[in-house]
Amino acid sequence: MNDPRTYEIEIGGKTLTIQHGILAQQANGAVTVRLGDTVVLVTVCMAEAREGIDFFPLTVDYEERLYAVGKIPGGFPRREGRASTEAILAMRLTDRPLRPLFPKGFRNEVQVIATTLSADREHQPDTLITIGASAALGISDIPFNGPVSSVRVTRLDGQYIVNPTFDETERGDLDIVVAGTKDAVVMVEAGAKQVSEDVVLEAIEVAMEANRKIIALQEQIAADVAPVKKPFTPAKENEEAIAVISEYLKDRIPELVATAASERSDANKAVRQELQERFGDRFTSADIADALWNIIKKAMRKQILEQGIRADGRGIKDIRPLDIHVGVLPRTHGSGLFQRGQTQVLTIATLGGLSMVQKLDTLSPDEYKRYMHHYNFPPYSVGEVRPLRGAGRREIGHGALAERALEPVIPSEEEFPYALRLVSEVMSSNGSTSMASVCGSTLALMDAGVPISAPVAGIAMGLIMGEDGNYRVLTDIAGQEDFMGDMDFKVAGTAKGITALQMDIKISGVSRELLATALEQAREARQYILERMLEVIPEPRPELSPYAPKMYKVTIPQDMIGTLIGPGGKTVRRIQDESGGATIDIQEDGTVIVGSPNEEVARKAIRMIEGLTKEVQVGEIYTGKVTRLLNFGAFVEILPGKEGLIHISQLGADHVRSVEDEVKVGDEVTVMVSEIDNLGRINLSRRAVLLGETPEQAAAASRDGGRDRDRGPRGGGPGGPGGGSRPSDRDRGGRGGGPQPQRASQPQPSRPAPASTGPVGGATRGWVRRTPPAEGAPPPPRRDFGGGMNED
């Protein structure tokens, strides 16, 4: 054991513990970081530089172990598989602040592996990984210009909380992760509920104050260990090639900045080919390409700093031309096409029942996700040819950012009981496809008729920092300004405030003044883009697509939930199958959401649900089918599985001599419930409906009917051995045997009858329709989610 040491510090009223020298002793560096009962192990290892490599190969991996929360994985192998979305986002949160702090020209391969050993589901482990990685690098022999720290800050009830719990983060209006050195901010990631720029800046200051304390602790740890850093030879640029090619191109620099700044452009390829033919025998193709890159980068940055003119001729605040459309696909539930310059994104919205929510099997206390956004970046979007391998870390990160930007404006499940999936397909890329996805998502949701509370737009800001401290913040950066610049700062929000932001930098840090400038320019750009979007579609459509499922709401007594589900879900599956494919989502409070694109299917499913759960009440009128005929009356199924008897005396308005003269099996008849006896048996009256009698009159007539209507002597007649008009228990299937109808319990006022309502929609976005009418009955006035996909 290598001199184990434990260090503690109070941050935000909670103890943060860093320990080293116990676990993973063969790694270059290893620490555990603890907050509450959440414990993360972080290790760092370094390999030798690979021959010919021209970049720094840093890898950050995060292993979520479900044993940390006492869970066995839900998948068939019963072991953890591919990293979850939350784990990938945690890896990115650590990679981004670490990468710019390694020495320039360092090419040795470095791998950071984080493993959550224990999780209390209160304290989030993602920021602990960054702290652990920095501390492990600090006590290792790996060259590193740290330390760096990361903390999460939430604003709850106007107060800023450092290292909040999951619950505090959920209830707050700002969730921001800030990573920084002791001198400056190096990374920001945030989600917010339309907060102002000043709130964000204040939260960053709170976070940086905590970061400085944690950095001081890391410096103490590194000083106690006193590691000897391994020497390395930094990769160097071919200065001769740069000088020679710069001289050759000196009269064409302005032209090259305007036409060849992008490596993918035809002009850039033509210049490289020319240089290869001219200097190919003197320099390698890699040296020629690097020299051209450096020459254009230096000239472009100088032009922006000195003249405020960008490579494509725009000013520093100019936004590229916009092209916006909605409803571009005929059979999808909603679609939006957003184009800004050469960046083009098509987003499609799909609505589904609540059974389509995503189940999560992670360390987070969240079990389900109702709103999902997926981002695809195919090779044709940049004119490349490469295999399709599914979503990588970049795609998952960009999709999560756009999802976070829209989440605050998504209607609640009570207001809009749908699962929502958005898919952003990048058609063309040249700068900030993630922010184009935010705009496309807003358009698709509004086109789908989703009642979002406000439209959201996004913009990416860039930075060119001069050696003398002079800088320019760029609005709407293109691809080459991202690659050759010093910052990528994405800001999304509504007209009211910020909903998401993400900042990555390539320099050692940025000041508060610079952040304030970037946020203000982003606000101005966001307002402009929102105005252009609202010119195309000013508000969500009042109706859903005719191809989207309609949702109906039914309320059943809570003690009937088990009856509806049935053993092992057998009953609810039978209803779904027999109704023709309705979806049924049952909630703990007795709310049942029935979904189907076909109203007839939904009507059938609701009738079956009510048949299982609805209490029959005396005086209610039903239309049912005749199921059986006896000599003293007919049995009618008034609800699925519930039958009642119409005594022969109650079959017609006048005297009925034979049951067969009045009805036959399969006939539909409208009846009133006249009585439910003490055994729960239901008596029905057709006569009461025809003559407008009350239930009391119908019940009295049923009891006296045999005598009043001369049905035969008391010793015989239709009533059987007991005589009279009222059948005996033997005739009704009582103790004496014979057919027995479905029994119904006595009315119970404490158990309300099911209430059902119709599709969500219309201008008021409320439940606007009662249970679908019976077959053949004219529908009541309605507002429905119909209508075509209007072109704008």
Side-chain angles (χ1 to χ4, degrees):
M1 192 169 291
N2 298 329
D3 187 24
R5 296 289 299 273
T6 301
Y7 300 79
E8 294 183 350
I9 187 174
E10 289 290 325
I11 299 293
K14 301 172 184 177
T15 301
L16 177 75
T17 303
I18 300 177
Q19 188 177 62
H20 72 84
I22 298 179
L23 302 177
Q25 296 176 20
Q26 295 195 57
N28 291 68
V31 302
T32 58
V33 184
R34 176 173 178 171
L35 185 66
D37 285 339
T38 296
V39 181
V40 177
L41 167 68
V42 186
T43 64
V44 294
C45 289
M46 178 177 66
E48 297 297 328
R50 299 198 300 266
E51 185 69 26
I53 197 169
D54 61 352
F55 64 95
F56 170 45
L58 171 66
T59 304
V60 178
D61 292 309
Y62 173 38
E63 299 292 312
E64 283 184 307
R65 301 301 192 210
L66 292 185
Y67 58 65
V69 290
K71 289 177 61 176
I72 296 176
F76 175 73
R78 290 293 186 262
R79 70 176 298 162
E80 294 83 1
R82 184 176 185 269
S84 68
T85 296
E86 288 75 15
I88 291 173
L89 297 178
M91 298 175 201
R92 287 170 58 84
L93 278 179
T94 298
D95 184 296
R96 286 154 46 200
L98 290 182
R99 190 173 292 273
L101 297 181
F102 284 88
K104 185 177 181 180
F106 184 61
R107 296 291 184 265
N108 291 51
E109 186 169 3
V110 174
Q111 184 179 34
V112 177
I113 298 179
T115 307
T116 298
L117 303 179
S118 174
D120 57 15
R121 290 197 164 187
E122 290 187 8
H123 302 94
Q124 305 184 48
D126 49 7
T127 57
L128 305 184
I129 297 172
T130 305
I131 295 171
S134 176
L137 287 165
I139 65 174
S140 74
D141 60 352
I142 301 174
F144 180 61
N145 297 330
V148 65
S149 175
S150 176
V151 297
R152 170 176 270 102
V153 172
T154 286
R155 193 179 79 148
L156 179 61
D157 298 328
Q159 301 298 315
Y160 294 96
I161 303 173
V162 178
N163 289 332
T165 64
F166 278 100
D167 178 66
E168 290 169 335
T169 301
E170 179 68 24
R171 292 187 291 117
D173 62 2
L174 174 65
D175 174 22
I176 186 168
V177 175
V178 180
T181 64
K182 62 182 178 182
D183 298 318
V185 177
V186 296
M187 190 277 296
V188 177
E189 178 94 21
K193 299 175 182 177
Q194 305 182 67
V195 303
S196 68
E197 285 74 11
D198 289 339
V199 168
V200 170
L201 290 171
E202 189 172 352
I204 291 174
E205 286 292 335
V206 172
M208 286 302 296
E209 182 179 351
N211 278 331
R212 292 184 189 100
K213 295 179 181 178
I214 298 172
I215 287 170
L217 179 66
Q218 292 186 53
E219 290 175 335
Q220 178 188 344
I221 297 172
D224 290 346
V225 175
V228 177
K229 296 296 182 178
K230 186 173 182 177
F232 72 98
T233 302
K236 294 183 178 180
E237 299 169 340
N238 191 324
E239 297 180 359
E240 182 185 359
I242 295 174
V244 170
I245 294 174
S246 179
E247 177 65 23
Y248 177 76
L249 297 174
K250 64 181 180 180
D251 297 329
R252 298 161 57 185
I253 295 298
E255 174 192 349
L256 294 176
V257 170
T259 62
S262 173
E263 285 189 311
R264 301 189 186 103
S265 69
D266 291 338
N268 186 284
K269 294 174 183 177
V271 174
R272 276 187 290 168
Q273 180 63 30
E274 176 187 345
L275 295 175
Q276 185 67 36
E277 294 173 356
R278 179 71 175 79
F279 301 105
D281 58 348
R282 187 173 176 183
F283 307 115
T284 66
S285 58
D287 286 340
I288 291 172
D290 289 343
L292 179 61
W293 168 269
N294 278 279
I295 291 166
I296 295 177
K297 176 180 177 180
K298 182 178 180 180
M300 186 193 79
R301 293 170 64 91
K302 181 179 180 181
Q303 179 176 295
I304 292 173
L305 287 170
E306 294 181 357
Q307 304 175 41
I309 300 175
R310 297 154 74 169
D312 55 10
R314 287 184 291 152
I316 61 173
K317 294 185 178 182
D318 292 342
I319 298 174
R320 289 170 291 176
L322 303 178
D323 190 22
I324 301 170
H325 302 274
V326 295
V328 297
L329 301 175
R331 292 297 292 260
T332 60
H333 300 166
S335 58
L337 181 64
F338 182 86
Q339 182 166 356
R340 185 179 58 239
Q342 288 184 305
T343 295
Q344 184 187 61
V345 174
L346 173 65
T347 303
I348 297 92
T350 306
L351 308 180
L354 294 177
S355 61
M356 300 305 295
V357 299
Q358 181 183 8
K359 184 177 180 180
L360 304 177
D361 197 15
T362 67
L363 303 182
S364 164
D366 296 328
E367 300 291 340
Y368 299 95
K369 185 160 70 170
R370 167 176 162 257
Y371 158 62
M372 299 157 278
H373 180 273
H374 298 145
Y375 167 102
N376 295 317
F377 192 87
Y380 61 75
S381 64
V382 288
E384 294 180 352
V385 176
R386 56 179 166 82
L388 296 176
R389 302 297 188 196
R393 295 188 182 185
R394 179 182 181 276
E395 285 83 358
I396 289 173
H398 280 38
L401 177 61
E403 179 180 290
R404 199 172 198 183
L406 272 295
E407 192 170 17
V409 303
I410 298 294
S412 67
E413 183 178 315
E414 291 72 23
E415 183 182 0
F416 195 72
Y418 288 84
L420 302 95
R421 181 184 184 232
L422 295 174
V423 179
S424 290
E425 304 283 0
V426 178
M427 298 287 125
S428 178
S429 172
N430 186 11
S432 191
T433 52
S434 62
M435 293 298 95
S437 297
V438 171
C439 299
S441 296
T442 294
L443 296 171
L445 287 169
M446 294 174 74
D447 182 55
V450 178
I452 58 175
S453 59
V456 181
I459 193 71
M461 314 301 294
L463 172 69
I464 302 296
M465 178 70 74
E467 295 180 359
D468 59 355
N470 183 33
Y471 65 85
R472 296 274 192 169
V473 175
L474 309 179
T475 298
D476 180 26
I477 56 173
Q480 69 270 23
E481 293 167 338
D482 184 5
F483 304 143
M484 298 179 179
D486 299 317
M487 179 180 74
D488 182 11
F489 193 5
K490 304 178 179 74
V491 185
T494 65
K496 181 180 178 182
I498 294 171
T499 58
L501 57 84
Q502 182 182 94
M503 186 193 76
D504 298 314
I505 64 171
K506 302 173 187 175
I507 55 178
S508 58
V510 294
S511 65
R512 177 189 172 100
E513 177 192 13
L514 192 153
L515 287 173
T517 301
L519 286 171
E520 177 57 25
Q521 284 186 213
R523 187 191 64 80
E524 295 172 357
R526 188 172 74 242
Q527 297 285 4
Y528 172 79
I529 295 173
L530 282 171
E531 290 172 2
R532 302 290 79 76
M533 291 167 59
L534 294 177
E535 290 174 359
V536 176
I537 182 167
E539 61 183 12
R541 298 197 189 282
E543 299 177 341
L544 283 185
S545 162
Y547 306 112
K550 308 297 187 298
M551 297 296 171
Y552 297 85
K553 180 180 178 183
V554 179
T555 302
I556 66 173
Q558 286 181 275
D559 57 359
M560 296 297 291
I561 292 176
T563 301
L564 177 57
I565 295 174
K570 181 178 179 180
T571 303
V572 72
R573 287 197 300 270
R574 176 178 62 83
I575 295 174
Q576 291 178 140
D577 293 340
E578 293 182 3
S579 66
T583 62
I584 299 174
D585 300 301
I586 306 168
Q587 301 175 8
E588 293 181 357
D589 63 353
T591 299
V592 180
I593 305 296
V594 180
S596 172
N598 185 326
E599 189 174 290
E600 180 61 29
V601 170
R603 179 191 297 122
K604 186 173 182 179
I606 290 174
R607 188 167 185 269
M608 295 175 72
I609 292 170
E610 291 181 337
L612 287 171
T613 61
K614 187 175 181 180
E615 293 292 343
V616 176
Q617 301 289 333
V618 172
E620 289 188 351
I621 295 176
Y622 297 90
T623 297
K625 286 187 177 182
V626 177
T627 59
R628 292 179 289 160
L629 298 181
L630 299 176
N631 59 350
F632 55 80
F635 284 99
V636 177
E637 186 180 40
I638 57 175
L639 289 172
K642 286 190 171 75
E643 287 184 341
L645 172 69
I646 312 176
H647 189 266
I648 190 171
S649 65
Q650 298 298 304
L651 268 176
D654 298 319
H655 176 66
V656 176
R657 298 194 59 84
S658 169
V659 174
E660 289 81 0
D661 291 343
E662 195 69 21
V663 294
K664 61 182 181 293
V665 173
D667 283 354
E668 283 196 352
V669 294
T670 301
V671 295
M672 174 190 288
V673 178
S674 60
E675 184 182 26
I676 301 175
D677 66 18
N678 58 358
L679 296 178
R681 297 174 301 188
I682 302 170
N683 291 324
L684 306 174
S685 173
R686 186 171 177 237
R687 168 191 171 91
V689 175
L690 297 173
L691 299 181
E693 294 178 344
T694 64
E696 292 77 10
Q697 291 172 325
S702 178
R703 285 191 292 269
D704 299 333
R707 295 190 302 275
D708 295 344
R709 295 178 180 276
D710 191 24
R711 291 299 180 88
R714 292 180 61 85
S725 62
R726 186 167 179 79
S728 67
D729 283 348
R730 177 183 298 274
D731 299 320
R732 293 203 60 174
R735 294 183 180 181
Q740 173 73 16
Q742 174 73 35
R743 292 186 176 182
S745 60
Q746 292 287 356
Q748 300 179 25
S750 62
R751 179 183 294 178
S756 58
T757 51
V760 188
T764 61
R765 300 291 174 193
W767 298 102
V768 298
R769 183 170 175 189
R770 304 298 293 179
T771 305
E775 295 183 11
R782 60 174 290 181
R783 292 190 300 272
D784 202 355
F785 279 5
M789 307 293 283
N790 297 328
E791 294 280 351
D792 285 86

